[in-house]
Amino acid sequence: MKLSLDEIYNIFINSAGISIDSRSTKNGQIFLAIKGENSDGNAYVEDAFNNGALYCITNRTELLDDNRCIIVPDTYQTLVDIAKMHRKHFSIPVLAITGSNGKTTSKELIAKMLSTKYNVLFTEGNLNNELGLPLTILKLNKTHEIAVVEMGAAKLGDINFLCEIAKPTHGLITTIGRAHIGRFGSFENIIKAKTELFDFLKKHNGLAFINEDDPILKPFAHSLNTIFYGRNNPNTHVSNIAAQPFLSFEWNYNDKNHKIETHLFGDYNLVHTLAAISIGLYFNISPENIVKAITEYLPTNSRSQIIYNDKNIVIMDAYNANPTSMEAALKNFFSIPIDFFYNKNTAIKPKKRAAILGEMMELGEYSHDEHKNILNVVNSYNPDLAVFVGDNFYQFKDNYPQFQFIPNTEELINFISNNPLSEYIVLVKGSRANALEKILPYL
């Protein structure tokens, strides 16, 4: 059957929500068939009904006579249109977070903090793209008091597109680095793409949280409603910063010092923590609850996790990587004395360092120079062992005989199985495509 958008939306609000995966569709949900790069959801309409779908939104015109099937020309556009319509029904604050590094960590910290006072809807996992964001918006209900949505970008216009769906009232750009520079074409285009969030906030009288220590982002404040944060800002003034190996610092607010000991590896996470503190204060979270939320936050999903086993200590930071985050992780890893990694609850006392690094994706014409730069950075630290994975590193194998070069993760597993590591501190970092977390059982 064919229905108007208003009729489709009315069905949606009386359903159990929308699913785009026929395998996980639940009773009472609407299955929306999306055609992706590798599969076409339209082929799984019958499976969705078997799993309890109430309706299916599809472009399969041969199902026109099935009153359970809503036939539309473009299923993805229908998803976007429903999400935009749904967003209009809510006047709550919507905080959008984008940036080259730290989006998910910032989102998780902020959501945990705000949840001490409010019912918060926030992006699950890394669902921050053109599919994940509208699905997140469609989860808004009348009990929610604030929403925190993560926005990723792979090209110019992506952030603006997502803003038109989420209609953020507040925004945070974590950092701007060289992530996906191959897609954007230049660093200037990365800045332009990320600051599309600021453009939207300016146009709609929104509020931006800006790191006053960031020379790239600070100049944008002159045309925005802005809350500043930074190391020396009165609200986020910090001292005694350490990362041995977890980030810790003292935070002074209203002439009272708060000691904050995080479970975040690396002092490069300080900027994300300060953003969370600033946003927490703005939304009237008490200093005590801010400290509690930051202290209790445990990173997951291969994001700066420190894992102890009976052979090695592994810093698993394999969720993603770009030149900026890779350099920061290496600097932090090699600057900390080995004994600071020791844990009183484990007998293992490593004596050597190993870096296992996966190639960085989507760097385009900059890939050769960026990967060579990382090799030179690692070489400057003179590690006990360095292993580089993927074709973008492998091309340099004859130039750096002191390092190990492996074409892919499967062969990396074979290498480690045949050359087991023991008594090492191991940094594992690479782009998502490397799936380096697969090597954890072998470390």
Side-chain angles (χ1 to χ4, degrees):
M1 61 180 175
K2 291 186 177 181
L3 299 175
S4 68
L5 183 62
D6 286 339
E7 291 171 320
I8 296 173
Y9 181 74
N10 189 58
I11 289 174
F12 160 71
I13 60 172
N14 289 289
S15 73
I18 283 182
S19 168
I20 61 170
D21 188 337
S22 63
R23 296 167 297 183
S24 59
T25 300
K26 298 180 177 66
N27 284 332
Q29 284 191 314
I30 300 169
F31 172 66
L32 192 144
I34 295 290
K35 185 174 182 178
E37 291 182 6
N38 301 315
S39 64
D40 185 353
N42 288 286
Y44 301 98
V45 168
E46 288 78 8
D47 291 345
F49 282 131
N50 290 336
N51 286 334
L54 192 64
Y55 290 92
C56 285
I57 299 176
T58 175
N59 59 20
R60 286 174 56 183
T61 55
E62 74 271 19
L63 298 175
L64 185 63
D65 293 333
D66 188 334
N67 286 334
R68 302 173 302 167
C69 292
I70 302 169
I71 312 302
V72 297
D74 185 330
T75 55
Y76 176 69
Q77 187 60 51
T78 299
L79 172 66
V80 170
D81 291 342
I82 297 172
K84 286 182 175 180
M85 184 173 286
H86 190 57
R87 174 66 181 91
K88 291 178 181 178
H89 289 76
F90 299 88
S91 58
I92 63 172
V94 174
L95 171 68
I97 301 173
T98 191
S100 299
N101 302 301
K103 292 187 296 296
T104 301
T105 297
S106 297
K107 178 257 300 181
E108 295 287 336
L109 277 172
I110 292 164
K112 185 174 182 63
M113 190 178 301
L114 294 176
S115 294
T116 64
K117 183 173 182 177
Y118 305 101
N119 185 3
V120 182
L121 173 73
F122 59 96
T123 302
E124 294 179 6
N126 197 37
L127 295 175
N128 62 10
N129 61 9
E130 70 277 5
L131 273 176
L133 183 128
L135 289 170
T136 298
I137 293 298
L138 288 173
K139 291 182 179 179
L140 274 172
N141 64 53
K142 63 183 179 181
T143 71
H144 290 124
E145 298 169 286
I146 190 168
V148 181
V149 295
E150 184 179 337
M151 294 181 175
K155 62 183 184 299
L156 286 167
D158 281 357
I159 296 299
N160 182 65
F161 176 77
L162 297 177
C163 283
E164 290 295 338
I165 299 171
K167 301 290 185 186
T169 56
H170 301 73
L172 168 70
I173 299 176
T174 56
T175 59
I176 295 184
R178 302 190 300 279
H180 312 295
I181 194 169
R183 286 194 180 186
F184 289 105
S186 68
F187 186 61
E188 290 71 23
N189 278 346
I190 294 177
I191 297 172
K192 186 176 180 180
K194 300 300 182 183
T195 56
E196 286 172 6
L197 173 56
F198 287 167
D199 294 338
F200 183 90
L201 293 173
K202 180 181 177 181
K203 183 178 178 181
H204 296 274
N205 200 33
L207 176 70
F209 296 90
I210 295 181
N211 177 12
E212 63 187 10
D213 302 326
D214 191 317
I216 296 173
L217 292 173
K218 187 177 180 180
F220 288 91
H222 78 275
S223 60
L224 280 164
N225 298 322
T226 302
I227 297 288
F228 282 119
Y229 62 92
R231 292 188 178 208
N232 297 308
N233 184 278
N235 287 334
T236 53
H237 181 76
V238 295
S239 59
N240 297 323
I241 303 163
Q244 300 172 345
F246 294 123
L247 171 67
S248 65
F249 57 92
E250 290 185 15
W251 166 48
N252 185 279
Y253 180 67
N254 282 347
D255 294 324
K256 182 178 180 181
N257 254 21
H258 301 272
K259 176 73 172 179
I260 299 180
E261 297 182 337
T262 80
H263 292 89
L264 295 167
F265 172 74
D267 57 5
Y268 52 85
N269 275 306
L270 178 64
V271 64
H272 311 314
T273 307
L274 296 184
I277 290 173
S278 176
I279 290 166
L281 290 174
Y282 176 81
F283 285 105
N284 299 314
I285 305 300
S286 69
E288 292 74 20
N289 279 337
I290 288 174
V291 172
K292 185 173 186 289
I294 294 173
T295 302
E296 291 181 352
Y297 171 67
L298 295 172
T300 58
N301 203 18
S302 301
R303 295 178 187 275
S304 300
Q305 294 175 268
I306 299 186
I307 301 166
Y308 296 84
N309 58 45
D310 59 358
K311 295 186 296 182
N312 303 291
I313 298 174
V314 182
I315 300 167
M316 182 61 69
D317 194 9
Y319 190 84
N320 220 332
N322 60 61
T324 307
S325 67
M326 188 79 85
E327 287 185 45
L330 288 166
K331 178 182 177 182
N332 197 77
F333 176 63
F334 286 105
S335 68
I336 302 173
I338 282 182
D339 57 1
F340 279 122
F341 290 97
Y342 294 170
N343 187 321
K344 64 182 179 180
N345 297 320
T346 179
I348 184 74
K349 297 292 186 286
K351 302 175 179 63
K352 297 170 285 188
R353 296 181 202 256
I356 300 177
L357 306 179
E359 62 185 339
M360 302 170 290
M361 312 305 287
E362 299 179 356
L363 298 180
E365 64 182 286
Y366 300 90
S367 182
H368 179 278
D369 291 347
E370 294 289 4
H371 283 87
K372 185 177 181 180
N373 177 62
I374 292 299
L375 287 163
N376 290 333
V377 169
V378 174
N379 189 53
S380 72
Y381 292 119
N382 192 28
D384 299 293
L385 175 67
V387 183
F388 297 89
V389 185
D391 292 339
N392 286 301
F393 279 128
Y394 197 75
Q395 63 182 312
F396 297 104
K397 62 183 175 61
D398 295 331
N399 304 99
Y400 297 84
Q402 68 273 38
F403 298 150
Q404 296 290 332
F405 291 87
I406 312 290
N408 54 58
T409 303
E410 287 67 32
E411 293 195 34
L412 172 64
I413 291 172
N414 291 334
F415 173 80
I416 295 176
S417 298
N418 294 324
N419 302 273
L421 302 187
S422 181
E423 296 188 326
Y424 274 89
I425 301 284
V426 187
L427 171 66
V428 182
K429 188 168 181 63
S431 286
R432 182 86 297 274
N434 303 162
L436 290 181
E437 68 277 2
K438 292 179 180 178
I439 69 171
L440 184 59
Y442 303 90
L443 293 176

